Amino acid sequence: MNTSSESSRIESAHDILRARQQYPLNSILAPKVVAVIGATENANTVGRTVFQNLGRGGFEGVVYPVNPKRSSVLCVKAYPNIKSIPEKVDLAVICTPAKVVPGLIRECAEAGVPGVVIISAGFKEIGAEGVKMEQQILAEARKTGMRIVGPNCLGVMIPKLGLNATFATTIAKP
């Protein structure tokens, strides 16, 4: 049996029996409020596809488009940045050019967003400049314990919740 002094030495990632909730994955696996940063009306773009997928899959949470150049996206009020959204965001899905992602991660951290999916590509796969951007992202995320999926990924799909935060053409069966 662990004493309290022993349990305080346990790495939080290994504390599955006590299930400390310091940095839960619920923000990614069961979000209630999602922001799509880079949502747009432009056809055949990742930002549009992700935003539409979240609306089509039966997701019962709230989805906010974030686009500093548009007042609305597909008839939904858009916000210029994550800080201007009127409620706490659980999950931010980033669909922007790689060069702006480190700054967006900083904004998400400042706004208290606990989970982020970075769909954007152009990081370590492009070389030293991309590696440097990934390091900046990790440094910002570690300050607040933010959890990140990506970069350069398909997104996150939880069919049981109707959550399709991907650019896939269909959602998997539950």
Side-chain angles (χ1 to χ4, degrees), residues 113-151:
V113 178
V116 176
V117 174
I118 304 171
I119 294 178
S120 310
F123 293 92
K124 68 181 171 188
E125 70 273 13
I126 67 161
E129 183 183 338
V131 169
K132 183 178 176 185
M133 286 189 293
E134 276 195 40
Q135 290 170 344
Q136 292 170 341
I137 289 167
L138 285 173
E140 287 298 328
R142 285 183 176 136
K143 291 177 186 177
T144 62
M146 177 189 294
R147 299 300 191 181
I148 296 178
V149 174

Side-chain angles (χ1 to χ4, degrees), residues 3 8 27 53 73 79 110 117 120 134 136-137 145 152 156 158:
T3 65
S8 65
S27 61
N53 283 348
V73 173
Y79 293 84
E110 290 169 358
V117 174
S120 310
E134 276 195 40
Q136 292 170 341
I137 289 167
N152 194 10
V156 174
I158 314 289

